[in-house]
Amino acid sequence: MNAVETVTNAARRASLRVGLAVLAVVLIGAGSAAAEPVWRITSLSNTTVQPGGTLQYFVSLVNDGDTESDGSPITVTIALPRGLTGVGVVSQSGAFDCPGVSGATTITCTTSETISVLDDRRILLDASLDAGVTGILTAGLEVGGGGASASAST
């Protein structure tokens, strides 16, 4: 293979990669005709905790859609894994209302704030680990509302 063939083959491969990337964007965007918020929710725990101790979950909600939320209620539900119970919630950003956290295994927080495109809101949740519980524990998260046609969950 000479240098011209090598450059031509490399250009074809690059063209194919670009073509596939464009196709993927078209297919992903094809499901929604109207502009709306699209939620992404993630959580992290900042620590390893001994049984009987308290850990913190950092929950992040991001509007990945193409328009801001519409001001209708946005609901974030945090389902704690077995052996964890809620202690308290501090809204790191935004005006979340999270009633009944103490002793709960499912925490529901709501806000009617307008969340702009690529803007985020954060919740810090303290949870207590029961004695005798071991292993890797993962919380379940769900978010919906604010004008989004679909919920997001982990």
PDB file of all heavy atoms in Angstrom, residues 32 34-39 66-75 113 144-150:
ATOM      1  N   SER A  32     -38.445  13.100  19.985  1.00  0.00           N
ATOM      2  CA  SER A  32     -39.112  14.224  20.629  1.00  0.00           C
ATOM      3  C   SER A  32     -39.265  15.370  19.647  1.00  0.00           C
ATOM      4  O   SER A  32     -38.295  15.971  19.233  1.00  0.00           O
ATOM      5  CB  SER A  32     -38.290  14.666  21.840  1.00  0.00           C
ATOM      6  OG  SER A  32     -38.862  15.794  22.418  1.00  0.00           O
ATOM      7  N   ALA A  34     -41.358  18.159  20.306  1.00  0.00           N
ATOM      8  CA  ALA A  34     -41.493  19.406  21.050  1.00  0.00           C
ATOM      9  C   ALA A  34     -40.298  19.616  21.967  1.00  0.00           C
ATOM     10  O   ALA A  34     -39.708  18.666  22.457  1.00  0.00           O
ATOM     11  CB  ALA A  34     -42.780  19.365  21.865  1.00  0.00           C
ATOM     12  N   ALA A  35     -39.989  20.894  22.183  1.00  0.00           N
ATOM     13  CA  ALA A  35     -38.919  21.218  23.124  1.00  0.00           C
ATOM     14  C   ALA A  35     -39.396  20.918  24.539  1.00  0.00           C
ATOM     15  O   ALA A  35     -40.528  21.216  24.899  1.00  0.00           O
ATOM     16  CB  ALA A  35     -38.546  22.692  22.991  1.00  0.00           C
ATOM     17  N   GLU A  36     -38.540  20.297  25.336  1.00  0.00           N
ATOM     18  CA  GLU A  36     -38.905  19.968  26.715  1.00  0.00           C
ATOM     19  C   GLU A  36     -37.646  19.710  27.522  1.00  0.00           C
ATOM     20  O   GLU A  36     -36.586  19.422  26.975  1.00  0.00           O
ATOM     21  CB  GLU A  36     -39.811  18.747  26.777  1.00  0.00           C
ATOM     22  CG  GLU A  36     -39.150  17.465  26.290  1.00  0.00           C
ATOM     23  CD  GLU A  36     -40.085  16.267  26.347  1.00  0.00           C
ATOM     24  OE1 GLU A  36     -41.143  16.327  25.719  1.00  0.00           O
ATOM     25  OE2 GLU A  36     -39.730  15.304  27.029  1.00  0.00           O
ATOM     26  N   PRO A  37     -37.776  19.796  28.860  1.00  0.00           N
ATOM     27  CA  PRO A  37     -36.636  19.408  29.685  1.00  0.00           C
ATOM     28  C   PRO A  37     -36.433  17.898  29.636  1.00  0.00           C
ATOM     29  O   PRO A  37     -37.387  17.146  29.440  1.00  0.00           O
ATOM     30  CB  PRO A  37     -37.035  19.855  31.094  1.00  0.00           C
ATOM     31  CG  PRO A  37     -38.492  20.077  31.059  1.00  0.00           C
ATOM     32  CD  PRO A  37     -38.892  20.276  29.640  1.00  0.00           C
ATOM     33  N   VAL A  38     -35.202  17.464  29.777  1.00  0.00           N
ATOM     34  CA  VAL A  38     -34.846  16.046  29.865  1.00  0.00           C
ATOM     35  C   VAL A  38     -33.963  15.928  31.098  1.00  0.00           C
ATOM     36  O   VAL A  38     -32.948  16.607  31.193  1.00  0.00           O
ATOM     37  CB  VAL A  38     -34.094  15.575  28.602  1.00  0.00           C
ATOM     38  CG1 VAL A  38     -33.618  14.142  28.770  1.00  0.00           C
ATOM     39  CG2 VAL A  38     -34.976  15.727  27.373  1.00  0.00           C
ATOM     40  N   TRP A  39     -34.367  15.088  32.045  1.00  0.00           N
ATOM     41  CA  TRP A  39     -33.661  15.003  33.325  1.00  0.00           C
ATOM     42  C   TRP A  39     -32.572  13.948  33.326  1.00  0.00           C
ATOM     43  O   TRP A  39     -32.752  12.869  32.795  1.00  0.00           O
ATOM     44  CB  TRP A  39     -34.638  14.708  34.462  1.00  0.00           C
ATOM     45  CG  TRP A  39     -35.720  15.722  34.561  1.00  0.00           C
ATOM     46  CD1 TRP A  39     -37.065  15.518  34.422  1.00  0.00           C
ATOM     47  CD2 TRP A  39     -35.571  17.119  34.804  1.00  0.00           C
ATOM     48  NE1 TRP A  39     -37.739  16.696  34.573  1.00  0.00           N
ATOM     49  CE2 TRP A  39     -36.848  17.702  34.803  1.00  0.00           C
ATOM     50  CE3 TRP A  39     -34.465  17.947  35.026  1.00  0.00           C
ATOM     51  CZ2 TRP A  39     -37.060  19.057  35.021  1.00  0.00           C
ATOM     52  CZ3 TRP A  39     -34.678  19.301  35.233  1.00  0.00           C
ATOM     53  CH2 TRP A  39     -35.959  19.846  35.232  1.00  0.00           C
ATOM     54  N   ASP A  66     -33.804  20.673  25.864  1.00  0.00           N
ATOM     55  CA  ASP A  66     -33.582  21.814  24.996  1.00  0.00           C
ATOM     56  C   ASP A  66     -34.425  23.026  25.382  1.00  0.00           C
ATOM     57  O   ASP A  66     -34.507  23.993  24.639  1.00  0.00           O
ATOM     58  CB  ASP A  66     -33.810  21.438  23.526  1.00  0.00           C
ATOM     59  CG  ASP A  66     -35.111  20.698  23.302  1.00  0.00           C
ATOM     60  OD1 ASP A  66     -35.949  20.658  24.226  1.00  0.00           O
ATOM     61  OD2 ASP A  66     -35.292  20.154  22.207  1.00  0.00           O
ATOM     62  N   THR A  67     -35.059  22.982  26.575  1.00  0.00           N
ATOM     63  CA  THR A  67     -35.770  24.132  27.104  1.00  0.00           C
ATOM     64  C   THR A  67     -35.827  24.030  28.628  1.00  0.00           C
ATOM     65  O   THR A  67     -35.643  22.955  29.186  1.00  0.00           O
ATOM     66  CB  THR A  67     -37.192  24.236  26.507  1.00  0.00           C
ATOM     67  OG1 THR A  67     -37.770  25.484  26.852  1.00  0.00           O
ATOM     68  CG2 THR A  67     -38.092  23.126  26.996  1.00  0.00           C
ATOM     69  N   GLU A  68     -36.067  25.148  29.280  1.00  0.00           N
ATOM     70  CA  GLU A  68     -36.149  25.137  30.735  1.00  0.00           C
ATOM     71  C   GLU A  68     -37.413  24.420  31.201  1.00  0.00           C
ATOM     72  O   GLU A  68     -38.354  24.232  30.427  1.00  0.00           O
ATOM     73  CB  GLU A  68     -36.105  26.569  31.277  1.00  0.00           C
ATOM     74  CG  GLU A  68     -37.301  27.399  30.900  1.00  0.00           C
ATOM     75  CD  GLU A  68     -37.175  28.846  31.351  1.00  0.00           C
ATOM     76  OE1 GLU A  68     -36.073  29.301  31.683  1.00  0.00           O
ATOM     77  OE2 GLU A  68     -38.219  29.529  31.347  1.00  0.00           O
ATOM     78  N   SER A  69     -37.404  24.007  32.469  1.00  0.00           N
ATOM     79  CA  SER A  69     -38.603  23.378  33.019  1.00  0.00           C
ATOM     80  C   SER A  69     -39.717  24.426  33.067  1.00  0.00           C
ATOM     81  O   SER A  69     -39.456  25.634  33.048  1.00  0.00           O
ATOM     82  CB  SER A  69     -38.321  22.798  34.407  1.00  0.00           C
ATOM     83  OG  SER A  69     -37.967  23.813  35.317  1.00  0.00           O
ATOM     84  N   ASP A  70     -40.963  23.947  33.134  1.00  0.00           N
ATOM     85  CA  ASP A  70     -42.107  24.855  32.995  1.00  0.00           C
ATOM     86  C   ASP A  70     -42.672  25.399  34.304  1.00  0.00           C
ATOM     87  O   ASP A  70     -43.698  26.057  34.314  1.00  0.00           O
ATOM     88  CB  ASP A  70     -43.212  24.173  32.189  1.00  0.00           C
ATOM     89  CG  ASP A  70     -43.800  22.960  32.885  1.00  0.00           C
ATOM     90  OD1 ASP A  70     -43.480  22.719  34.062  1.00  0.00           O
ATOM     91  OD2 ASP A  70     -44.590  22.248  32.233  1.00  0.00           O
ATOM     92  N   GLY A  71     -42.025  25.137  35.432  1.00  0.00           N
ATOM     93  CA  GLY A  71     -42.498  25.650  36.711  1.00  0.00           C
ATOM     94  C   GLY A  71     -43.467  24.728  37.424  1.00  0.00           C
ATOM     95  O   GLY A  71     -43.837  24.978  38.567  1.00  0.00           O
ATOM     96  N   SER A  72     -43.885  23.644  36.760  1.00  0.00           N
ATOM     97  CA  SER A  72     -44.725  22.662  37.440  1.00  0.00           C
ATOM     98  C   SER A  72     -43.839  21.828  38.363  1.00  0.00           C
ATOM     99  O   SER A  72     -42.615  21.806  38.205  1.00  0.00           O
ATOM    100  CB  SER A  72     -45.457  21.771  36.430  1.00  0.00           C
ATOM    101  OG  SER A  72     -44.549  21.001  35.675  1.00  0.00           O
ATOM    102  N   PRO A  73     -44.407  21.135  39.356  1.00  0.00           N
ATOM    103  CA  PRO A  73     -43.581  20.416  40.327  1.00  0.00           C
ATOM    104  C   PRO A  73     -42.646  19.384  39.688  1.00  0.00           C
ATOM    105  O   PRO A  73     -43.024  18.657  38.775  1.00  0.00           O
ATOM    106  CB  PRO A  73     -44.601  19.721  41.218  1.00  0.00           C
ATOM    107  CG  PRO A  73     -45.827  20.559  41.114  1.00  0.00           C
ATOM    108  CD  PRO A  73     -45.832  21.066  39.689  1.00  0.00           C
ATOM    109  N   ILE A  74     -41.427  19.366  40.197  1.00  0.00           N
ATOM    110  CA  ILE A  74     -40.422  18.363  39.845  1.00  0.00           C
ATOM    111  C   ILE A  74     -40.253  17.505  41.093  1.00  0.00           C
ATOM    112  O   ILE A  74     -40.027  18.026  42.182  1.00  0.00           O
ATOM    113  CB  ILE A  74     -39.080  19.012  39.468  1.00  0.00           C
ATOM    114  CG1 ILE A  74     -39.264  19.944  38.266  1.00  0.00           C
ATOM    115  CG2 ILE A  74     -38.014  17.951  39.194  1.00  0.00           C
ATOM    116  CD1 ILE A  74     -38.095  20.889  38.041  1.00  0.00           C
ATOM    117  N   THR A  75     -40.379  16.190  40.929  1.00  0.00           N
ATOM    118  CA  THR A  75     -40.297  15.272  42.059  1.00  0.00           C
ATOM    119  C   THR A  75     -39.071  14.389  41.931  1.00  0.00           C
ATOM    120  O   THR A  75     -38.887  13.728  40.905  1.00  0.00           O
ATOM    121  CB  THR A  75     -41.563  14.399  42.142  1.00  0.00           C
ATOM    122  OG1 THR A  75     -42.701  15.267  42.270  1.00  0.00           O
ATOM    123  CG2 THR A  75     -41.514  13.460  43.330  1.00  0.00           C
ATOM    124  N   GLU A 113     -39.317  25.130  41.089  1.00  0.00           N
ATOM    125  CA  GLU A 113     -38.386  26.071  40.466  1.00  0.00           C
ATOM    126  C   GLU A 113     -38.311  25.829  38.964  1.00  0.00           C
ATOM    127  O   GLU A 113     -38.468  24.704  38.499  1.00  0.00           O
ATOM    128  CB  GLU A 113     -36.975  25.852  41.011  1.00  0.00           C
ATOM    129  CG  GLU A 113     -36.710  26.469  42.326  1.00  0.00           C
ATOM    130  CD  GLU A 113     -35.235  26.356  42.636  1.00  0.00           C
ATOM    131  OE1 GLU A 113     -34.802  25.272  43.022  1.00  0.00           O
ATOM    132  OE2 GLU A 113     -34.531  27.376  42.481  1.00  0.00           O
ATOM    133  N   GLY A 144     -39.060  13.211  37.870  1.00  0.00           N
ATOM    134  CA  GLY A 144     -40.055  13.453  36.834  1.00  0.00           C
ATOM    135  C   GLY A 144     -40.724  14.787  37.085  1.00  0.00           C
ATOM    136  O   GLY A 144     -40.604  15.400  38.145  1.00  0.00           O
ATOM    137  N   GLY A 145     -41.460  15.255  36.083  1.00  0.00           N
ATOM    138  CA  GLY A 145     -42.197  16.513  36.198  1.00  0.00           C
ATOM    139  C   GLY A 145     -41.466  17.674  35.567  1.00  0.00           C
ATOM    140  O   GLY A 145     -40.499  17.489  34.828  1.00  0.00           O
ATOM    141  N   GLY A 146     -41.934  18.875  35.843  1.00  0.00           N
ATOM    142  CA  GLY A 146     -41.305  20.083  35.304  1.00  0.00           C
ATOM    143  C   GLY A 146     -41.513  20.268  33.811  1.00  0.00           C
ATOM    144  O   GLY A 146     -40.804  21.037  33.190  1.00  0.00           O
ATOM    145  N   GLY A 147     -42.464  19.527  33.245  1.00  0.00           N
ATOM    146  CA  GLY A 147     -42.717  19.619  31.807  1.00  0.00           C
ATOM    147  C   GLY A 147     -42.053  18.534  30.988  1.00  0.00           C
ATOM    148  O   GLY A 147     -42.249  18.462  29.771  1.00  0.00           O
ATOM    149  N   ALA A 148     -41.287  17.668  31.624  1.00  0.00           N
ATOM    150  CA  ALA A 148     -40.650  16.552  30.904  1.00  0.00           C
ATOM    151  C   ALA A 148     -41.682  15.470  30.630  1.00  0.00           C
ATOM    152  O   ALA A 148     -42.515  15.166  31.489  1.00  0.00           O
ATOM    153  CB  ALA A 148     -39.496  15.970  31.716  1.00  0.00           C
ATOM    154  N   SER A 149     -41.654  14.874  29.460  1.00  0.00           N
ATOM    155  CA  SER A 149     -42.627  13.844  29.107  1.00  0.00           C
ATOM    156  C   SER A 149     -42.240  12.472  29.650  1.00  0.00           C
ATOM    157  O   SER A 149     -43.052  11.573  29.683  1.00  0.00           O
ATOM    158  CB  SER A 149     -42.804  13.759  27.587  1.00  0.00           C
ATOM    159  OG  SER A 149     -41.589  13.404  26.968  1.00  0.00           O
ATOM    160  N   ALA A 150     -40.994  12.317  30.100  1.00  0.00           N
ATOM    161  CA  ALA A 150     -40.533  11.025  30.616  1.00  0.00           C
ATOM    162  C   ALA A 150     -39.764  11.246  31.904  1.00  0.00           C
ATOM    163  O   ALA A 150     -39.189  12.296  32.136  1.00  0.00           O
ATOM    164  CB  ALA A 150     -39.638  10.337  29.589  1.00  0.00           C
TER     165      ALA A 150
END
